[in-house]
Amino acid sequence: MTKEFQNKNQWALILGGSSGLGLATAKKLAKHGMNICIVHRNPRMQEDEIQAEFETIKQQGVSFKSFNTDAFKPEKRTAVIEALKSEFGSQHKIKTLVHSVAKGNLKPMVSKDKPVLKHDDFALTINAMGISLYDWTKALFDANLFAEDTRIISFTSEGNSKAWQNYAAVSAAKVTLEAITRNIALEFAPFGIKANCIQAGVTDTASLRMIAGSEKIIEHSLIRNPNKRLTLPEDVANAVYLLSKDEAAWITGTVIPVDGGEHLS
C-alpha cells in the first residue's frame, strides 16, 4: 500500500474520532501514513474499548495523540491547541481537519407526552454540530497550525433538505455546517485552505440509532439505494482520504454525496 503521507510531518485532526465515521477515517488516513490526533468525549466505562481501537491506529507506524475532552468548550479547545503547538514545533502541520462530532437534541416539535424542542435545544445543537467547525478552523488558523494545503472536511446528511421526525434541530445544524463550509472555502482560499462537506448515505451508527424510526429509515434506504446496501463508515473514510490527496486540491466549497447513489431517488 502506498503511504503517500508518510514522513511529511502531516497530521489529521479528527473531532469526534472514537467511533463511527471519525474512527473509520482515522484508521484510513493512518494506513496511508498520516499522523493522527483525535479529540473525543467518552465516559470511563468505554475507555478500554476505545483504547483498543486507538492501538490499531498506532500499529500503522504513525504518530498518535488523543484528547478525551469537551471539544465545544473554548478553554478545552485552547488547551488542545496549545498542546499541539508544543508537540508539533515548527515542522509539523495539520493537513486534514475532520469535523465528525454529534451532539444535539432529537426532540419533536409537538408532543402530548414527551419534551418538545425549545430555543435552547436549537442553539445547543447548531453550535455543536455547525458553528464549532468555524470555531476550530479559526483557532487552528490563528495558531498557525494548518499546512500550506489544508483540507477541512465535515459530515452532513440528507436531513439538510428533507424533513425527518424529531430531526429539526440537527437538520438546522447541518444546513449551518454547509453554509459555514462554503464561506470557509471562499474566505480562507488565499491561505491554501479547501473545505468540503461529505453527505454520507444512511449509515448504521450509534448516531442513527438515536433517531426516531431509524429502523424504517434503514429499511427504506435499502430499497431506494441502487446498490442495495447501506453506506459503511469505511465508504466515507475512503472519500476523506481521496479529498486529502494532492490531486483533490481543486475541489472546494461543495457538498459531495457519498452514498452509492442513494440520493438519486
Side-chain angles (χ1 to χ4, degrees):
M1 177 183 293
T2 301
K3 291 199 171 187
E4 61 263 53
F5 301 119
Q6 197 88 44
N7 302 321
K8 289 188 176 181
N9 298 335
Q10 293 179 334
W11 287 73
L13 173 57
I14 301 175
L15 307 175
S18 61
S19 64
L21 306 184
L23 179 60
T25 295
K27 291 179 176 180
K28 177 67 177 181
L29 294 178
K31 282 184 179 179
H32 291 271
M34 195 176 288
N35 301 313
I36 303 295
C37 176
I38 290 176
V39 178
H40 65 106
R41 188 65 172 154
N42 294 95
R44 288 185 178 180
M45 60 182 294
Q46 296 177 343
E47 187 69 19
D48 289 346
E49 178 184 349
I50 290 169
Q51 289 303 319
E53 295 284 12
F54 289 172
E55 282 301 319
T56 66
I57 296 172
K58 296 175 186 177
Q59 288 169 9
Q60 298 297 327
V62 299
S63 297
F64 179 86
K65 287 188 72 69
S66 66
F67 299 88
N68 190 351
T69 190
D70 190 338
F72 308 117
K73 291 186 176 179
E75 66 273 16
K76 303 294 186 182
R77 181 174 63 245
T78 298
V80 169
I81 290 174
E82 288 302 314
L84 291 180
K85 285 172 68 176
S86 177
E87 172 84 12
F88 288 3
S90 61
Q91 299 300 314
H92 291 242
K93 297 291 183 181
I94 293 169
K95 168 73 171 181
T96 301
L97 170 64
V98 178
H99 185 276
S100 182
V101 288
K103 178 182 179 181
N105 285 290
L106 293 166
K107 296 178 182 177
M109 287 182 159
V110 180
S111 177
K112 292 181 179 180
D113 53 3
K114 295 179 181 179
V116 296
L117 273 177
K118 297 181 179 178
H119 175 94
D120 288 350
D121 297 320
F122 273 101
L124 181 149
T125 307
I126 292 171
N127 181 65
M129 299 181 72
I131 298 172
S132 66
L133 173 67
Y134 174 70
D135 292 337
W136 274 91
T137 297
K138 188 64 165 62
L140 291 165
F141 177 80
D142 289 344
N144 194 32
L145 285 177
F146 282 138
E148 292 182 1
D149 176 21
T150 292
R151 314 299 165 83
I152 296 175
I153 301 164
S154 56
F155 301 141
T156 186
S157 74
E158 207 171 20
N160 57 9
S161 59
K162 288 185 168 61
W164 294 341
Q165 195 72 29
N166 298 9
Y167 201 74
V170 178
S171 181
K174 294 300 187 185
V175 173
T176 300
L177 182 73
E178 293 175 19
I180 289 172
T181 293
R182 286 190 293 271
N183 266 76
I184 289 173
L186 176 70
E187 298 191 40
F188 286 85
F191 306 97
I193 293 172
K194 292 85 179 177
N196 294 286
C197 285
I198 289 176
Q199 181 180 303
V202 171
T203 311
D204 194 357
T205 61
S207 297
L208 174 68
R209 293 290 178 173
M210 293 175 65
I211 300 174
S214 59
E215 293 84 1
K216 290 185 178 180
I217 292 174
I218 290 172
E219 182 181 335
H220 183 59
S221 299
L222 289 170
I223 293 171
R224 64 191 282 249
N225 193 307
N227 285 287
K228 302 304 177 188
R229 71 164 174 85
L230 297 182
T231 300
L232 302 174
E234 291 75 17
D235 297 321
V236 179
N238 288 341
V240 175
Y241 159 65
L242 292 173
L243 287 171
S244 297
K245 290 169 67 70
D246 291 345
E247 290 85 348
W250 207 235
I251 303 171
T252 192
T254 191
V255 177
I256 302 171
V258 179
D259 61 3
E262 192 174 290
H263 68 285
L264 296 173
S265 61

